[in-house]
Amino acid sequence: MPTAVPSHHRKSMAKLHRAAEPDVLKPLLERARLTPDSRERVMDHALALLADLRAAQNRGWVNQFLQEYRLNSSEGVALLSLAEAFLRVPDPETADLLIADKIGDADWKAHSGKSNSVLVNSATWGLMLGRALVGDEKTGVLRRLISRAGEPFVRQAVGAAMKRMGEVFVMGRTIDEAMKRMKKPENKGFTASFDMLGEAARTKADAERYFQAYFEAIRAVGRDPKAGHSISVKLSALHPRYEVAQYDRCVPELTDMLAQLASESAAQGIPLTVDAEESERLEMSLDIIGSVARRPELRGWNGFGMAVQAYGKRARAVIGWADDLGRPMHVRLVKGAYWDSEIKRTQVEGLADYPLFTRKAATDVSYLACARDMLAAKNIVPAFASHNALTVATILDWAGDSRDFEFQRLHGMGEGLYERLVNEQGYHCRIYAPVGGHRDLLAYLVRRLLENGANSSFVHQLADEQLSEAELLADPVEKIAAVGGTRHPSIPLPVDLFGAWKNSGGIDLAERTILAETAAAIAASPPPARGRGPGGGPTLTTSEPAVEAGGPPPAPSRTREGVASAIDRASAAFPGWAATPLATRAAILERLADLLEENRIELMALAVKEAFKTIPDALGEVREAADFCRYYALQARTGLAPITLPGPTGERNELRMEGRGVWATIAPWNFPLAIFLGQTAAALVAGNAVVAKPAPQTPEIARAAVRLAHQAGVPEDALVLVTGGPEVGAALTSDHRIAGVAFTGSTPTAKKIAAALLEGNDRPLVPLIAETGGINAMIVDSTALPEQVVADVLTSAFRSAGQRCSALRLLLLQEEIAEGVIEMLRGAMELLILGDPADPRTDIGPVIDQAAYDKLIAYRDSAKAQWIKTVPVPATGLFVPPTMIRIDRPEDLTREWFGPILHVATWKAGTLAETVARVNAKGFGLTMGLHSRIARSAELVEAEARVGNLYINRSMIGAVVGSQPFGGEGLSGTGPKAGGPHYLHRFCAERAVSVDTTSAGGNATLLSLDEGGI
């Protein structure tokens, strides 16, 4: 569908999106600035509002709760964690473990009787009682007195408390209950915007359920149109694939669904507002909202609206866009809901700058500037969502006598701020009121408490009695002007994330234009000389590429003689390369990293067309290769320099790390650039010459990498490429001149290499660094959030067609939640798209070759009776259908199946340690995952799991160089871990030199001292 964002607005937004923070803030500061006269009026009004807020704290349960249990305290974190997980736990045993974990160690006694709230003090007493029951203290009068009640008593009390918490933040479990509650005296004069709880749909069934809930809510509110209530809609709840890569599919579907909801709202005569989403979805949201706003059937209805998040750098431009739609638009201005996750995503993706402000005061400035624009706009009906007294007072001053706007606050927060304005002064305030079951509350609750309980938030600061009124009402314009609008010093740009070494740059594939340009450039790149088509079939080009003028010599032929010739060249080059200063070798690696990024599209195209990687995976491949180069350059400078050791006077002792000779690096096809270059760069920077052998399926990526390495400054004979299959690898590892082998691949091949390195009595003992596969398990208990589990399982098991050594092979679900999680996984798997990896829409491409395809299909067919779910694939090509297979017990999976096949078994509550032991018993030790909200369970798995990489409450793939050093143990590898601080030493010979400096007659050091003598 065509974009609904005109080109001039799109250009403005694109310019602001990654602009430097000071540049974005400069015009905002002028727009938000108060004159001296207005400042005085605003302060007077804000002080009055502040007095109302403080008075309301005595009756506001949430305000007093936040005051007593700060989110930066262990007790506050414990309560938040308990609230997030408790109500979804179905079994009593795990519920008891969760309670013990969250309240057993906290110091509740310190909070006893301190609050002005009877409710908070009662809750504190209950928590003290709970700690006595579930804590480590096994004796004491209280414990003995109520030991018969035990955990069921605590469980019921905690359950009641969590439901009470739910009532505070959720207006009602149903829309009818919520509308009835809005008629209570405490809500007199207020209207509501009802939001049907649902953060995001994972399946079509989820989306259909949310759509129906919205539709029914619109009709329910429409039965009483005079009440003035409205409905808020979240687009991500209406489509399980609301992603930029799926634009052509999700945007038309969402536009149609939103149009249906808008039409029903128009028919009922009630307003409808589209909630804000993460910044990566902004332009999609605008296209959907703009298309619906222009629907002819909605002309004459003035109730359509949208939310804008002021923490986004594009917020003011979005306000301008909304005003230009040519129809009245209700705009709800909010501070922002996803700040922490947006910061992390930008860092993880290595993007140029943040799409949002990094200081809270900068967001406040943006909010005020946007508010001023909204008050001046022709077609905007403003709604200002804020709990901040200064913000409210400023808006009131700017609005003058106008009442053509409304304020909004969250249900459960901000009591006292608006009551006088609404009931005495005639202003309008709407309560944002979530509706849904307590289980649906959890994600919403955590988000709201984190936002409003954060140290920098007004709600949090209001609860701090040590802050003065002047500090509470400090002008954000002055705050930002004082620091020159600079980014927060604790939030470095993504490129500087690691400090000592440069983070690799990414491409913002969440920007539709950039994604399309990237895909077009990849498609236009020539196919690899030995490439195959997108489904695995051969391309037309099969000949050897021509040797570039001045480039490296042709790769040796696939013969033992060719391998010997390559080793001859490397052996001759070794002394000169080893003598090259360490700083020079490190600098060459850094130049290579720069060249990788300069040639990013060419390398991504090779990864897509030769290794069948999707576009995001191809980008990750180039970034990881660059990260390896820069990280190992840093590690070489800091860890391989000579070390002076202690000793007696008159003696010099030094430890040197030097190259061992010629290393063989043997890389796999699943990471044909990152692992190929990672192993090779490590060996080179340590002072070794290298003969590098890529997998036979991906030689062209290796050729390109070697060409760039030579261009960066590696001597052509110090890095020699050989290509071919097992016979070439065998010739390489059996040659006695090889001083070490770095290998990534299968366990059987690693064992063959290890045996070959021991053949011959005259062969030196040489190191083998091997990283192999694993039967990688993820354990999920009943405290885990199913939506998060499903997202992480899909990523871990099926991304890259399951062709990662770290991929999830065995999902172990606690039996009480197994069927629910499996059902959600079924629905999510149905949405996976298999196809050409060069197509941005593709989730899963073909497997690497015919042999892999045949092996996986044969196994899959043999287990057909145990299939839980499989999905259709394209009619032609080497596409293995993602398949979920049920097994009775973990022991039934005896080997690694390197493809998109996931095995599922269950485990019983209370047997976590035994379950980990059963996984350990398989002998593999690469990756393991755990999804649990119980910290003690995480500690148990950390202590007991025999794996190189343990991932808790996240996906199991995508180890980051320098942050998550990667490698296994047992049948999964030898170590040391790639991308870690100990990796380079394995490539070195350690040589100690001891010199007696007195042998030439006298100890110069001692003689130079002002002591002794005649």
Side-chain angles (χ1 to χ4, degrees):
M1 62 176 290
T3 177
V5 182
S7 60
H8 66 286
H9 282 298
R10 189 175 292 278
K11 288 177 182 176
S12 174
M13 291 179 197
K15 183 179 179 181
L16 290 167
H17 190 36
R18 302 290 176 195
E21 202 157 329
D23 295 339
V24 180
L25 280 169
K26 188 175 180 180
L28 299 180
L29 286 165
E30 293 307 312
R31 188 65 171 155
R33 196 180 302 277
L34 292 167
T35 65
D37 289 345
S38 63
R39 173 68 180 166
E40 187 175 347
R41 291 194 306 271
V42 166
M43 280 298 293
D44 288 344
H45 205 159
L47 285 168
L49 293 171
L50 195 58
D52 289 344
L53 274 168
R54 289 203 186 280
Q57 279 194 309
N58 293 326
R59 68 176 188 269
W61 186 88
V62 176
N63 292 329
Q64 294 188 45
F65 177 88
L66 288 172
Q67 184 174 11
E68 188 61 39
Y69 295 109
R70 305 285 179 82
L71 294 183
N72 58 359
S73 70
S74 59
E75 292 80 19
V77 171
L79 284 177
L80 186 61
S81 301
L82 189 60
E84 192 272 337
F86 182 79
L87 293 177
R88 67 168 169 264
V89 178
D91 60 296
E93 187 165 2
T94 306
D96 292 341
L97 288 173
L98 180 66
I99 294 168
D101 185 72
K102 300 307 176 192
I103 72 174
D105 295 329
D107 184 12
W108 306 109
K109 190 180 296 185
H111 300 270
S112 178
K114 291 178 63 179
S115 175
N116 294 326
S117 167
V118 174
L119 182 59
V120 171
N121 285 331
S122 299
T124 299
W125 187 89
L127 292 163
M128 289 169 57
L129 181 65
R131 189 194 187 289
L133 284 170
V134 303
D136 293 333
E137 300 168 9
K138 301 301 181 185
T139 59
V141 177
L142 183 60
R143 178 80 189 189
R144 291 196 302 272
L145 236 124
I146 54 180
S147 60
R148 291 184 181 179
E151 275 74 9
F153 174 81
V154 180
R155 194 185 316 128
Q156 292 172 14
V158 170
M162 294 302 104
K163 289 178 181 177
R164 170 64 178 143
M165 206 170 191
E167 291 170 7
V168 170
F169 289 97
V170 176
M171 185 63 75
R173 287 166 294 184
T174 66
I175 187 66
D176 290 333
E177 184 179 308
M179 291 177 67
K180 183 177 180 181
R181 189 172 176 185
M182 275 301 298
K183 294 179 180 179
K184 290 190 173 184
E186 63 265 27
N187 295 321
K188 178 186 175 183
F190 290 81
T191 55
S193 181
F194 297 114
D195 171 33
M196 312 310 292
L197 281 175
E199 289 287 301
R202 294 292 179 204
T203 67
K204 283 184 178 178
D206 288 342
E208 290 168 1
R209 185 173 68 253
Y210 289 137
F211 178 82
Q212 198 59 38
Y214 284 133
F215 202 87
E216 291 172 2
I218 290 167
R219 289 192 166 176
V221 172
R223 289 196 291 269
D224 186 12
K226 292 183 180 179
H229 301 318
S230 63
I231 295 293
S232 291
V233 172
K234 195 167 181 62
L235 294 176
S236 55
L238 295 175
H239 203 289
R241 297 303 305 270
Y242 187 32
E243 307 159 25
V244 170
Q246 306 301 325
Y247 182 101
D248 292 340
R249 172 187 181 186
C250 71
V251 169
E253 292 176 8
L254 276 167
T255 301
D256 181 63
M257 285 188 282
L258 182 60
Q260 291 181 57
L261 295 175
S263 294
E264 185 62 26
S265 297
Q268 299 292 337
I270 64 169
L272 178 77
T273 299
V274 181
D275 272 343
E277 302 276 354
E278 297 88 340
S279 64
E280 62 199 84
R281 292 168 165 159
L282 175 62
E283 290 197 9
M284 282 197 301
S285 297
L286 298 185
D287 284 344
I288 294 165
I289 293 166
S291 295
V292 173
R294 293 187 175 95
R295 290 279 179 113
E297 66 268 26
L298 298 178
R299 288 175 187 160
W301 173 59
N302 295 332
F304 193 42
M306 60 183 288
V308 176
Q309 301 187 106
Y311 71 15
K313 291 176 178 175
R314 295 173 289 183
R316 196 176 175 201
V318 174
I319 300 294
W321 171 83
D323 193 31
D324 283 352
L325 279 173
R327 60 160 293 150
M329 283 292 291
H330 292 253
V331 176
R332 173 195 296 147
L333 185 64
V334 300
K335 296 287 174 76
Y338 305 98
W339 185 85
D340 52 343
S341 59
E342 300 261 20
I343 291 287
K344 181 177 180 180
R345 175 189 171 260
T346 306
Q347 292 176 343
V348 169
E349 300 296 329
L351 303 180
D353 206 332
Y354 298 100
L356 39 77
F357 300 108
T358 59
R359 294 180 187 267
K360 177 63 168 62
T363 293
D364 291 341
V365 167
S366 173
Y367 190 97
L368 292 173
C370 289
R372 201 162 200 169
D373 285 355
M374 289 166 62
L375 288 169
K378 296 179 181 179
N379 295 314
I380 286 178
V381 182
F384 303 111
S386 178
H387 302 146
N388 187 308
L390 181 65
T391 301
V392 172
T394 302
I395 290 169
L396 289 170
D397 188 75
W398 285 342
D401 295 331
S402 172
R403 298 291 189 276
D404 295 333
F405 65 95
E406 69 180 30
F407 290 109
Q408 294 191 2
R409 69 168 177 85
L410 292 170
H411 171 60
M413 291 187 180
E415 289 94 342
L417 180 59
Y418 293 111
E419 277 77 359
R420 194 187 303 271
L421 291 173
V422 169
N423 294 311
E424 296 180 15
Q425 300 177 31
Y427 290 96
H428 184 203
C429 183
R430 190 178 299 275
I431 298 173
Y432 187 85
V435 179
H438 291 135
R439 185 185 177 283
D440 296 324
L441 157 75
L442 303 172
Y444 172 86
L445 169 65
V446 172
R447 176 59 54 192
R448 297 290 86 80
L449 282 178
L450 284 174
E451 284 171 29
N452 293 283
N455 289 346
S456 59
S457 78
F458 185 83
V459 172
H460 178 95
Q461 292 179 341
L462 184 67
D464 188 345
E465 295 177 347
Q466 296 181 350
L467 285 177
S468 67
E469 291 176 341
E471 289 172 307
L472 273 171
L473 301 177
D475 187 345
V477 172
E478 293 177 1
K479 284 184 179 181
I480 293 302
V483 296
T486 56
R487 184 174 20 86
H488 196 290
S490 297
I491 304 176
L493 287 176
V495 70
D496 300 319
L497 180 62
F498 300 109
W501 57 285
K502 180 182 172 184
N503 186 20
S504 59
I507 299 174
D508 194 352
L509 299 178
E511 289 294 310
R512 188 183 178 211
T513 302
I514 294 174
L515 177 60
E517 291 172 351
T518 303
I522 287 172
S525 297
R530 293 182 179 273
R532 292 151 291 165
T539 60
L540 297 177
T541 307
T542 57
S543 60
E544 287 280 352
V547 179
E548 296 180 18
S557 59
R558 304 179 181 200
T559 64
R560 184 171 292 274
E561 292 76 17
V563 171
S565 173
I567 298 173
D568 287 342
R569 290 170 54 198
S571 297
F574 166 64
W577 177 246
T580 301
L582 178 61
T584 301
R585 299 198 302 262
I588 287 172
L589 255 60
E590 289 167 338
R591 282 201 295 274
L592 175 55
D594 293 341
L595 287 170
L596 290 169
E597 293 185 326
E598 290 171 19
N599 292 271
R600 181 166 50 192
I601 293 297
E602 174 197 345
L603 295 169
M604 287 175 63
L606 284 170
V608 168
K609 296 178 180 183
E610 187 175 51
F612 306 144
K613 287 185 172 283
T614 61
I615 292 174
D617 281 355
L619 174 59
E621 182 88 6
V622 179
R623 291 192 64 208
E624 186 175 5
D627 283 339
F628 272 133
C629 291
R630 292 192 179 110
Y631 180 75
Y632 290 148
L634 172 69
Q635 290 296 311
R637 287 192 176 99
T638 57
L640 300 188
I643 302 172
T644 300
L645 302 174
T649 182
E651 185 174 283
R652 177 172 61 84
N653 297 291
E654 188 175 80
L655 181 66
R656 298 173 183 170
M657 308 296 288
E658 300 181 356
R660 301 180 63 93
V662 178
W663 271 72
T665 60
I666 303 175
W669 47 260
N670 62 333
F671 284 92
L673 180 66
I675 291 180
F676 176 83
L677 266 186
Q679 295 175 157
T680 300
L684 286 168
V685 80
N688 301 285
V690 176
V691 177
K693 179 197 168 304
Q697 295 92 339
T698 53
E700 300 308 319
I701 300 174
R703 292 184 199 277
V706 169
R707 172 175 54 82
L708 293 177
H710 291 159
Q711 187 178 334
V714 178
E716 292 179 359
D717 286 350
L719 170 57
V720 185
L721 179 72
V722 295
T723 60
E727 71 289 348
V728 172
L732 190 56
T733 56
S734 64
D735 193 299
H736 289 200
R737 293 171 294 172
I738 292 297
V741 177
F743 167 79
T744 301
S746 71
T747 302
T749 303
K751 288 185 173 183
K752 289 179 181 178
I753 292 172
L757 295 179
L758 294 175
E759 290 178 354
N761 294 332
D762 58 340
R763 182 163 196 181
L765 296 171
V766 300
L768 168 64
I769 301 171
E771 191 267 283
T772 58
I775 300 180
N776 309 310
M778 178 188 287
I779 301 170
V780 181
D781 75 12
S782 61
T783 68
L785 183 65
E787 290 83 356
Q788 183 185 0
V789 171
V790 167
D792 289 343
V793 167
L794 288 181
T795 296
S796 302
F798 301 129
R799 185 167 174 174
S800 309
Q803 298 173 120
R804 294 183 182 227
C805 347
S806 56
L808 172 62
R809 311 296 178 196
L810 175 60
L811 177 61
L812 297 172
L813 299 170
Q814 188 178 321
E815 56 187 14
E816 285 84 359
I817 61 163
E819 289 311 312
V821 172
I822 287 171
E823 186 59 31
M824 192 178 290
L825 271 171
R826 281 195 186 105
M829 287 175 66
E830 288 176 355
L831 302 170
L832 293 172
I833 297 175
L834 284 81
D836 182 353
D839 187 333
R841 297 170 296 181
T842 295
D843 298 309
I844 301 173
V847 295
I848 191 64
D849 59 19
Q850 189 70 47
Y853 174 85
D854 292 343
K855 186 184 298 184
L856 290 165
I857 291 295
Y859 168 69
R860 177 178 171 275
D861 289 347
S862 73
K864 193 168 186 176
Q866 299 159 263
W867 289 0
I868 302 173
K869 178 67 180 177
T870 190
V871 298
V873 298
T876 59
L878 302 177
F879 295 96
V880 173
T883 305
M884 187 162 44
I885 296 174
R886 191 187 300 271
I887 57 177
D888 294 330
R889 54 198 188 116
E891 289 77 10
D892 293 344
L893 182 59
T894 58
R895 59 166 293 182
E896 176 188 39
W897 293 99
F898 208 72
I901 296 176
L902 174 65
H903 304 82
V904 182
T906 60
W907 60 284
K908 295 181 181 295
T911 65
L912 179 60
E914 177 188 337
T915 302
V916 174
R918 293 168 76 181
V919 176
N920 287 341
K922 294 181 176 298
F924 290 91
L926 190 55
T927 66
M928 184 183 291
L930 172 70
H931 267 272
S932 174
R933 294 299 192 263
I934 301 175
R936 293 176 189 179
S937 295
E939 291 167 2
L940 183 152
V941 176
E942 283 185 54
E944 300 295 329
R946 299 293 177 258
V947 295
N949 291 75
L950 175 64
Y951 297 101
I952 298 174
N953 293 329
R954 53 152 289 172
S955 74
M956 290 168 53
I957 64 171
V960 177
V961 174
S963 293
Q964 296 122 21
F966 188 76
E969 57 192 71
L971 293 173
S972 295
T974 64
K977 295 167 78 65
H982 308 302
Y983 191 61
L984 291 187
H985 292 166
R986 188 64 169 153
F987 289 88
C988 297
E990 292 186 276
R991 291 172 180 146
V993 178
S994 183
V995 179
D996 180 1
T997 59
T998 67
S999 60
N1003 184 338
T1005 303
L1006 283 180
L1007 291 174
S1008 68
L1009 297 177
D1010 242 351
E1011 303 290 342
I1014 297 173

